[in-house]
Amino acid sequence: MDAFCSDCKRQTEVVFDHSAGDTVCSECGLVLESHSIDETSEWRTFANESGDNDPVRVGGPTNPLLADGGLSTVIAKPNGTSGEFLSSSLGRWQNRGSNPDRGLILAFKTIATMSDRLGLVATIKDRANEIYKRVEDQKSSRGRNQDALLAACLYIACRQEDKPRTVKEICSVANGATKKEIGRAKEYIVKQLGLENGQSVEMGTIHAGDFMRRFCSNLGMNNQAVKAAQEAVQKSEEFDIRRSPISIAAAVIYIITQLSDDKKPLKDISVATGVAEGTIRNSYKDLYPHVSKIIPSWYAKEEDLKNLCSP
């Protein structure tokens, strides 16, 4: 690693002394930084190692949504014969004791797993956790489909953080919950949060452009085509096209690919966007009269637009 040395007056190679925590210039020996804190993991755990011999001495980060802030004590399993009876008994009693946050912890783990599978940022996951905690505090969700409820929390969190995902995308990671079940759970959550606040819940507006880059990436479109699709979808908002934003995004992608050398079959676009082929065709019919005003002039000429298939 290189760093600027004030004595050598230039970038030099430095050596890190782990025992002292010092960063030393390899040429003049000047200590550039002392008593550095090593923030890396204390131990490395491998998949084939036994879970009973966990050397980690610290817990996870605090969680303000849990009653104890996530800082409760866990009695570990005994490693040796000394004190084995006492520690095993204490651990057994602790497991028998009722942890009021056990259900929340499991729910938060499920939300974290779904978020990771969708590649969502931490702020969306935290917002979903917060929404679930507020619903759970009302004690009215008993008997409802838990997987659908958690998926709906994640869907609402994505909307509120202006990073919307389609219900179909959420459904793909929802542990078997159907689109209809997630839709019902979403309506239930919105209703409950509205009763709590005494006002309607702000969900955020969905625009076709919110999905465009992700859909284009799924299809492997080049940068020029992606830029044209984004411009076209913004222009489409100027017209009264009564279709869902996702359907408009899919139809715009279909038009853009038909105008390029790398034409995509309707089936591939349907798979990448999660929109049925028939819906894409109908949206294309609605967009077709406005194509000359929607498609950027730098991407396609007037004669190219005339060669588009008539719906």
Side-chain angles (χ1 to χ4, degrees):
M1 185 178 74
D2 292 347
F4 183 81
C5 177
S6 55
D7 273 14
C8 299
K9 306 294 184 185
R10 60 188 175 84
Q11 292 278 341
T12 60
E13 188 176 347
V14 295
V15 177
F16 186 72
D17 183 354
H18 291 272
S19 60
D22 295 341
T23 304
V24 184
C25 174
S26 61
E27 296 193 13
C28 68
L30 178 69
V31 177
L32 302 176
E33 188 178 353
S34 60
H35 301 97
S36 301
I37 297 174
D38 186 0
E39 297 180 353
T40 58
S41 176
E42 184 181 20
W43 301 93
R44 289 194 302 166
T45 305
F46 298 95
N48 60 348
E49 289 185 355
S50 172
D52 295 342
N53 299 319
D54 187 3
V56 176
R57 299 181 295 171
V58 295
T62 59
N63 189 339
L65 298 177
L66 300 177
D68 56 7
L71 299 177
S72 57
T73 301
V74 177
I75 300 172
K77 294 179 181 179
N79 292 323
T81 56
S82 175
E84 185 171 338
F85 173 76
L86 179 63
S87 58
S88 62
S89 299
L90 288 172
R92 199 158 50 242
W93 279 108
Q94 185 188 47
N95 289 333
R96 287 177 183 172
S98 59
N99 182 357
D101 289 334
R102 184 172 295 173
L104 279 178
I105 292 169
L106 290 173
F108 292 166
K109 283 182 178 178
T110 303
I111 288 173
T113 302
M114 290 192 293
S115 299
D116 290 343
R117 289 177 65 187
L118 288 171
L120 303 177
V121 295
T123 51
I124 294 176
K125 180 190 72 175
D126 294 341
R127 176 64 69 95
N129 288 344
E130 181 189 336
I131 292 169
Y132 179 78
K133 177 69 164 60
R134 287 168 61 189
V135 173
E136 187 66 17
D137 285 346
Q138 296 185 30
K139 307 293 183 186
S140 60
S141 60
R142 185 168 294 177
R144 291 188 171 271
N145 185 327
Q146 189 73 358
D147 290 327
L149 207 63
L150 295 172
C153 288
L154 195 60
Y155 174 81
I156 294 170
C158 290
R159 290 275 300 266
Q160 291 184 342
E161 292 293 323
D162 292 326
K163 301 291 181 184
R165 292 293 188 273
T166 65
V167 178
K168 198 163 187 176
E169 286 176 299
I170 299 291
C171 188
S172 67
V173 298
N175 299 324
T178 64
K179 287 172 64 176
K180 187 177 286 187
E181 289 170 337
I182 295 172
R184 286 174 184 162
K186 185 203 78 172
E187 296 300 327
Y188 165 76
I189 292 169
V190 170
K191 181 181 177 182
Q192 291 301 119
L193 296 183
L195 291 173
E196 178 191 53
N197 296 332
Q199 57 186 13
S200 60
V201 178
E202 182 60 45
M203 288 278 285
T205 307
I206 294 180
H207 298 280
D210 296 331
F211 308 97
M212 188 57 71
R213 183 166 288 278
R214 193 165 69 256
F215 288 167
C216 292
S217 176
N218 292 342
L219 285 162
M221 294 167 61
N222 61 46
N223 291 334
Q224 191 178 30
V226 173
K227 184 182 176 184
Q230 288 178 315
E231 287 186 25
V233 89
Q234 285 181 343
K235 281 281 187 182
S236 69
E237 293 182 1
E238 298 175 6
F239 302 95
D240 184 22
I241 300 167
R242 299 182 182 182
R243 294 282 173 182
S244 71
I246 303 166
S247 302
I248 292 173
V252 166
I253 289 172
Y254 175 71
I255 294 169
I256 292 295
T257 57
Q258 294 308 301
L259 291 168
S260 70
D261 295 331
D262 185 20
K263 292 178 171 56
K264 304 289 184 185
L266 195 60
K267 184 180 179 181
D268 289 357
I269 296 172
S270 175
V271 171
T273 60
V275 181
E277 292 181 37
T279 306
I280 297 174
R281 286 195 193 95
N282 291 333
S283 300
Y284 174 62
K285 286 179 185 177
D286 293 345
L287 284 171
Y288 186 78
H290 312 290
V291 159
S292 59
K293 297 175 182 176
I294 289 174
I295 303 301
S297 56
W298 58 265
Y299 185 76
K301 297 177 181 178
E302 193 71 33
E303 51 267 27
D304 295 329
L305 298 178
K306 290 177 181 177
N307 292 330
L308 277 174
C309 296
S310 178

